[in-house]
Amino acid sequence: MRAMAKPVINHRGPEFRELYRRILNNLKFVFETKGDVFVLTASGTGGVECAIRNILSNGDKIAVPVNGVFSERLRNAVTAFGGKSIETTIDWGSAITPAQVEDLFEKEKNIKAFAVVYNETSTGATTRNLKEIGKICHDHEALFVVDAISILGGDELPVDEWGVDICVAGSQKCLMTPPGLVMLSVNEAAWKIAETARRSYYFDLLEYRKFLANYETPYTPAVTLFYALDEALLMMKEEGLQPRYNRHNLCARSLYAGLEALGFQIFPRPEFRSQVVVAANYLPKIDDKKFRELLREKYHVVVAGGMGKLKGAMFRIGVMGIVSQLEILTTIGAIESTLLDLGHEFEYGVGSRAARDVFARQSQR
Ligand code: PLP
């Protein structure tokens, strides 16, 4: 927030070029890529639109596994621009496996790209084995596109090592920056396709590449948000990627333990549980609106509700960016107090104890 208080500079001048150069270098560190990276002034959906439009020509087939609201939107981006979406429906709370991806390519030929949401924010399910999935895509000469909007910076994603051709990340999630920026990585294989695709106007990646040579963007960037992103990336470098992923993992495990001790059923299947979004079904007789309102008004803890068909049935807790034992134990404590206020019968303290034990065991290691 302090970084954003600086005066706004000319986005065609040397100070901006220096700022953008540093941001791009540090983004390459976070994406773990030697490919090109870009920052667009748009929300996450703009990044998804950009990724799809720059590889799509009319009638092209793009495969999208659909397991929640954001993968539905990714699928919609394909059809909105004249693509043919090859859809694999996966249970919400699960995610596609390499065997299912293999099956998909056996059944359907000439797939131009396989596009997946790494972390389905609407269900708290993370797609695992992306490296294997990437290899299957390349074996079938398809591009591998990853919507990592809600997870980049909170769980591992070495873009080059996992063969991700286009990766999209959002500023407002694990990158600790306010909403309004979206980051993309693009490799050589993706450029080859982009050069022949029917592209976008505002999101034309070839224009962005042209201006990148001079560390500028084709259109006016949200300079103030760039300041915030710059600072956040410096913080991420200071912490280091692996310690950061470990911290998210520990915080998520603590929350899962606390919620389960309170009797909540975790929404995703265990093997797909996210370490950046924790989603749980409501206990019987606990009303979504009342629960979240009390939590927010009385205890100042904001959690999200369910989305789409899960509205009212579950709630979701973000474990993203600036998160530590303090926030986790505060959240679990507030949830216990709210349950008590709502007249739920349970052994008060059992959730906090379970959550705290996870941290205690870690510090004894
Ligand atoms: N994809 C995923 C996985 C998301 O979590 C979100 C937002 O939460 C989006 C896409 C859309 O991003 P935005 O709302 O910033 O446009």
Side-chain angles (χ1 to χ4, degrees), residues 136-359:
I136 298 167
C137 294
H138 295 153
D139 288 347
H140 292 85
E141 292 175 5
L143 286 180
F144 183 34
V145 178
V146 176
D147 167 351
I149 286 172
S150 61
I151 192 167
L152 189 97
D155 201 344
E156 55 178 350
L157 180 48
V159 161
D160 289 355
E161 193 194 325
W162 288 5
V164 180
D165 298 303
I166 301 185
C167 179
V168 187
S171 56
Q172 75 272 29
K173 301 285 198 296
C174 299
L175 296 180
M176 309 185 290
T177 302
L181 298 179
V182 63
M183 278 59 65
L184 276 97
S185 71
V186 182
N187 70 8
E188 271 314 309
W191 280 127
K192 276 205 189 91
I193 303 288
E195 280 155 11
T196 61
R198 220 193 71 195
R199 289 182 308 277
S200 171
Y201 184 71
Y202 183 66
F203 292 129
D204 182 349
L205 278 174
L206 296 196
E207 279 300 303
Y208 279 86
R209 184 168 65 174
K210 228 188 277 167
F211 280 77
L212 193 67
N214 203 22
Y215 295 109
E216 287 186 16
T217 56
Y219 313 109
T220 311
V223 173
T224 305
L225 294 177
F226 278 53
Y227 289 149
L229 177 63
D230 183 38
E231 188 60 40
L233 290 168
L234 293 175
M235 288 164 70
M236 291 176 69
K237 276 187 86 173
E238 226 170 77
E239 183 176 13
L241 292 181
Q242 198 54 53
R244 194 176 167 80
Y245 303 151
N246 295 345
R247 173 169 59 79
H248 282 79
N249 183 275
L250 178 62
C251 288
R253 278 192 290 119
S254 168
L255 261 187
Y256 284 126
L259 291 172
E260 282 188 317
L262 287 170
F264 285 101
Q265 190 198 13
I266 303 305
F267 184 77
R269 300 227 318 253
E271 63 270 38
F272 300 114
R273 283 182 187 181
S274 171
Q275 65 181 43
V276 297
V277 184
V278 167
N281 291 329
Y282 276 114
L283 294 165
K285 298 194 196 138
I286 299 294
D287 176 74
D288 174 40
K289 194 163 172 285
K290 276 197 205 131
F291 174 80
R292 288 192 297 123
E293 206 170 85
L294 253 180
L295 205 51
R296 188 185 66 237
E297 300 288 325
K298 191 164 174 191
Y299 301 104
H300 306 279
V301 170
V302 177
V303 302
M307 296 179 76
K309 64 183 181 189
L310 298 173
K311 204 171 163 83
M314 56 111 98
F315 63 99
R316 299 169 300 140
I317 307 173
V319 185
M320 296 175 178
I322 301 170
V323 61
S324 65
Q325 179 168 330
L326 172 71
E327 288 79 16
I328 299 301
L329 297 187
T330 304
T331 301
I332 268 293
I335 288 174
E336 289 209 65
S337 300
T338 303
L339 291 177
L340 207 60
D341 293 342
L342 291 173
H344 181 66
E345 281 180 23
F346 69 110
E347 189 192 327
Y348 183 73
V350 76
S352 295
R353 203 155 47 238
R356 203 180 49 231
D357 280 353
V358 173
F359 285 108

Side-chain angles (χ1 to χ4, degrees), residues 43-46 48 70 73 117 119 121 147 149-150 172-173:
S43 81
T45 310
V48 170
F70 292 104
R73 291 190 192 170
V117 173
N119 183 67
T121 326
D147 167 351
I149 286 172
S150 61
Q172 75 272 29
K173 301 285 198 296

